[in-house]
Amino acid sequence: MKRIIIMLLIVCSAITTANAEQPTNLQKKPESVIAALNAVINRCGENEGQVFSVNRNPATGIIESSMKIVPFRCLAINDQNDFTQRNVALQNDQMMTAVARCFQKDEPLSYQFLHIQPGSNENFSLKVITDNGSNQGMQRIRTNKNQEMWFMCCKNPENPQLRDAYAIVWELSEDKRFLVGTVYMITSLRPDVYEKPTDTNRKMFRIEGRVDENIKDSLYNIYIADSRDALYALEDHEYVACVPVVNKRFVFQTELERPCVGRLRCIFPDGSLCSAWIDLDFVPGETYHITVHNGYYDEDRDYERRVGRQSGRSLIGPAAVVADTVVVADDVPDEYQPAIIAPRLDWRSSLSPEHQAKLELRSELVQMYIETIKASYESIGEELKGTRDQYKMDRIFDEIIKQNKELDKRYQDVIKQVKDLHIPATEISKLYKEILTFYNEQNRAISEITKNYGAYTKSSRKAQKQVTELMEKYVNDMIKALE
């Protein structure tokens, strides 16, 4: 009996030691995503266009990269389906729904995750690094705005120097009868390990821009300053570079010692300056990707989250503006929340008490409408987090249109009074610029809402048109006031 007890103790000790030696932080594979993608390949994969490759380090024989790219095509639900086709199409629809569900389930295993809905103009490419870092290429994943994309990157379970990427994109065929797309399973060296920054690229800030096919932007003036106030104090001619648009693309880069604020402002083919502009955080060692459309732009969301407006370190975001000129709700996502700016009245102390009282009253009316507009954007943000009811969203946008009409009247009252009081031109210029900043931020908020929802609604497009027209109006008024 004593011998048996000793044997049991030895076995238990061995089991405990073995368990202790097992690493507790092993990276798990996204099994659900892998199974879902393989199901798409097995059910709908096409032989033509498939890519399979494996690259090994010639010295060590260790896999450095592997690539599995499989196009697929499956029947979609449409009015032309007969009974049999409809059953097949329903099964395909359930399969694609399962793909989305599996990506969401395995998201905690990823260190990079992205879902882009149809309607967004944001394309996506994956960097693939091999040959111990000496060979770098780009694999295009999402190539047009009609595609839906799910994408995730995970650390490779067997080799921490590798990265496993899983992606799927699809869209309706031109005849609306099929879903056509591609599955990607790509393993390569991790860019963060093998891209060694140099002193130069640690200082280099770069903008890589694209211009919508439907607009005629030909040049961009680039402005740079140390702070937001300094940026707004710059005159139109005080730009640091004039960048041409070639084949609907433009690139600007400069070395920076520290983060700055910057502005992009278009010059039209006739030589006139655009009435709107785009303000960005210029950060050393970073690249901002932007696509400019008519009246709005697609921002670089990853950049804004890491080092821009949503990072908490922005020099131009709401937190960087003087507190008494900004109203920001803490519980509203930044992408739906314009920086609400009311006219600053720093010079009011020089006015008579009567004039101060009148101006204060008009300023309070402006602030009241700003608060109302802010609350409307908050409501849209909540709707996007809930039922995403288009009818409700359109009704709110209709209210924003009415509110902006009233706000315009209140702005006009303030402007008329400051002109009657012969306020210095520099102060009037600041007033106009702050009004324009508010409309510009509204414009940005509407674009963000549209990208999240996946498409413009009738009322959201009408609201954005109104905001753009108001911006043009106030730019023209400002020019006339300063002549």
Side-chain angles (χ1 to χ4, degrees):
M1 182 68 179
K2 185 175 181 180
R3 184 180 178 185
I4 293 173
I5 292 173
I6 292 173
M7 291 288 290
L8 286 172
L9 290 172
I10 292 172
V11 170
C12 290
S13 175
I15 293 172
T16 303
T17 302
N19 287 339
E21 290 174 353
Q22 290 295 322
T24 59
N25 60 346
L26 282 176
Q27 169 70 32
K28 295 180 181 179
K29 286 188 176 182
E31 300 290 353
S32 298
V33 167
I34 294 171
L37 295 182
N38 281 329
V40 173
I41 292 172
N42 294 335
R43 182 178 176 84
C44 309
E46 297 190 310
N47 292 326
E48 186 176 351
Q50 288 192 13
V51 175
F52 292 95
S53 68
V54 176
N55 292 324
R56 300 178 185 271
N57 186 298
T60 64
I62 297 174
I63 291 178
E64 284 193 346
S65 70
S66 65
M67 189 175 293
K68 182 178 182 180
I69 303 176
V70 182
F72 67 89
R73 180 184 180 92
C74 59
L75 196 66
I77 297 175
N78 64 74
D79 295 337
Q80 301 176 18
N81 293 147
D82 59 25
F83 179 77
T84 302
Q85 288 178 328
R86 186 166 183 79
N87 284 338
V88 173
L90 282 171
Q91 292 174 15
N92 293 338
D93 183 67
Q94 293 169 358
M95 176 181 67
M96 302 312 291
T97 301
V99 167
R101 186 168 59 247
C102 289
F103 267 90
Q104 294 174 71
K105 177 182 177 182
D106 285 348
E107 183 275 331
L109 301 176
S110 68
Y111 67 84
Q112 184 180 2
F113 188 91
L114 187 59
H115 175 218
I116 303 178
Q117 294 182 341
S120 169
N121 288 289
E122 183 177 353
N123 291 335
F124 183 81
S125 296
L126 179 72
K127 182 169 287 186
V128 179
I129 300 177
T130 57
D131 299 334
N132 203 32
S134 62
N135 186 12
Q136 301 186 16
M138 299 296 291
Q139 176 62 53
R140 299 177 69 198
I141 306 293
R142 188 177 191 263
T143 57
N144 71 72
K145 68 178 183 179
N146 298 319
Q147 294 174 327
E148 181 166 359
M149 183 189 84
W150 288 90
F151 170 85
M152 69 187 304
C153 277
C154 309
K155 292 180 181 178
N156 183 276
E158 287 79 30
N159 185 346
Q161 294 183 316
L162 298 180
R163 170 195 66 185
D164 295 334
Y166 304 92
I168 181 170
V169 294
W170 73 88
E171 62 185 301
L172 275 173
S173 61
E174 290 186 6
D175 59 8
K176 310 298 182 184
R177 296 184 60 230
F178 297 94
L179 294 177
V180 293
T182 308
V183 171
Y184 299 86
M185 298 183 184
I186 299 174
T187 296
S188 64
L189 294 171
R190 285 170 51 191
D192 59 318
V193 173
Y194 281 87
E195 286 185 315
K196 305 298 184 183
T198 64
D199 287 339
T200 297
N201 62 33
R202 272 197 293 262
K203 296 180 180 180
M204 188 69 71
F205 169 75
R206 181 177 173 90
I207 297 173
E208 294 183 0
R210 300 180 62 187
V211 175
D212 194 299
E213 293 291 335
N214 298 321
I215 61 176
K216 299 180 180 179
D217 296 5
S218 59
L219 297 167
Y220 279 90
N221 280 351
I222 309 293
Y223 302 81
I224 300 178
D226 290 329
S227 67
R228 179 180 179 276
D229 287 343
L231 181 66
Y232 273 86
L234 293 176
E235 300 294 335
D236 290 346
H237 66 276
E238 295 182 287
Y239 53 86
V240 298
C242 186
V243 181
V245 177
V246 180
N247 295 326
K248 298 297 180 180
R249 296 177 183 271
F250 63 95
V251 175
F252 167 76
Q253 64 181 30
T254 185
E255 288 190 23
L256 300 173
E257 295 294 331
R258 58 188 178 279
C260 301
V261 293
R263 173 174 296 161
L264 285 70
R265 192 169 182 186
C266 169
I267 303 176
F268 295 127
D270 64 1
S272 62
L273 276 171
C274 180
S275 60
W277 54 79
I278 300 168
D279 290 350
L280 303 173
D281 288 281
F282 284 21
V283 181
E286 298 286 347
T287 298
Y288 197 101
H289 300 87
I290 187 170
T291 301
V292 182
H293 303 279
N294 188 13
Y296 68 101
Y297 67 97
D298 294 335
E299 69 177 6
D300 190 328
R301 291 188 175 185
D302 178 62
Y303 184 102
E304 296 290 5
R305 291 189 188 102
R306 289 186 298 102
V307 296
R309 291 176 183 268
Q310 300 170 33
S311 69
R313 294 174 289 171
S314 173
L315 297 177
I316 58 172
V321 185
V322 180
D324 64 354
T325 68
V326 180
V327 180
V328 176
D330 294 334
D331 58 347
V332 183
D334 287 341
E335 57 264 39
Y336 312 130
Q337 178 174 276
I340 308 301
I341 299 178
R344 284 189 293 188
L345 305 176
D346 301 336
W347 29 262
R348 58 189 167 189
S349 59
S350 63
L351 303 178
S352 68
E354 181 183 358
H355 287 149
Q356 283 191 40
K358 287 182 179 179
L359 198 54
E360 189 69 33
L361 175 61
R362 285 172 176 155
S363 182
E364 287 176 0
L365 287 172
V366 166
Q367 191 64 42
M368 182 186 72
Y369 279 99
I370 283 174
E371 292 277 6
T372 304
I373 292 171
K374 178 192 70 172
S376 297
Y377 280 107
E378 290 176 6
S379 298
I380 294 176
E382 291 301 316
E383 187 61 35
L384 283 171
K385 291 188 287 186
T387 60
R388 301 170 69 89
D389 188 311
Q390 180 180 331
Y391 177 81
K392 290 183 180 178
M393 289 172 59
D394 270 349
R395 298 293 70 76
I396 299 172
F397 271 121
D398 289 341
E399 286 302 312
I400 289 175
I401 292 169
K402 294 177 183 177
Q403 292 156 7
N404 269 322
K405 287 181 180 178
E406 291 300 319
L407 177 62
D408 179 37
K409 294 177 184 177
R410 306 309 164 190
Y411 274 144
Q412 291 297 319
D413 289 342
V414 173
I415 291 169
K416 183 179 184 303
Q417 184 175 5
V418 297
K419 287 181 178 179
D420 291 344
L421 293 171
H422 304 292
I423 300 302
T426 54
E427 298 299 334
I428 293 177
S429 175
K430 289 179 183 178
L431 173 60
Y432 274 113
K433 287 180 179 179
E434 287 173 357
I435 292 171
L436 287 167
T437 298
F438 172 49
Y439 287 126
N440 197 32
E441 291 294 339
Q442 275 199 74
N443 195 17
R444 178 174 173 267
I446 296 170
S447 296
E448 287 297 334
I449 290 167
T450 300
K451 284 196 286 186
N452 183 291
Y453 185 67
Y456 275 100
T457 66
K458 181 179 179 181
S459 294
S460 66
R461 191 179 296 278
K462 187 177 178 182
Q464 191 159 53
K465 180 182 178 183
Q466 179 200 43
V467 168
T468 303
E469 289 175 348
L470 286 167
M471 290 173 67
E472 292 176 352
K473 167 187 168 180
Y474 279 102
V475 166
N476 293 331
D477 288 352
M478 181 174 66
I479 293 171
K480 292 176 182 177
L482 298 178
E483 286 179 348

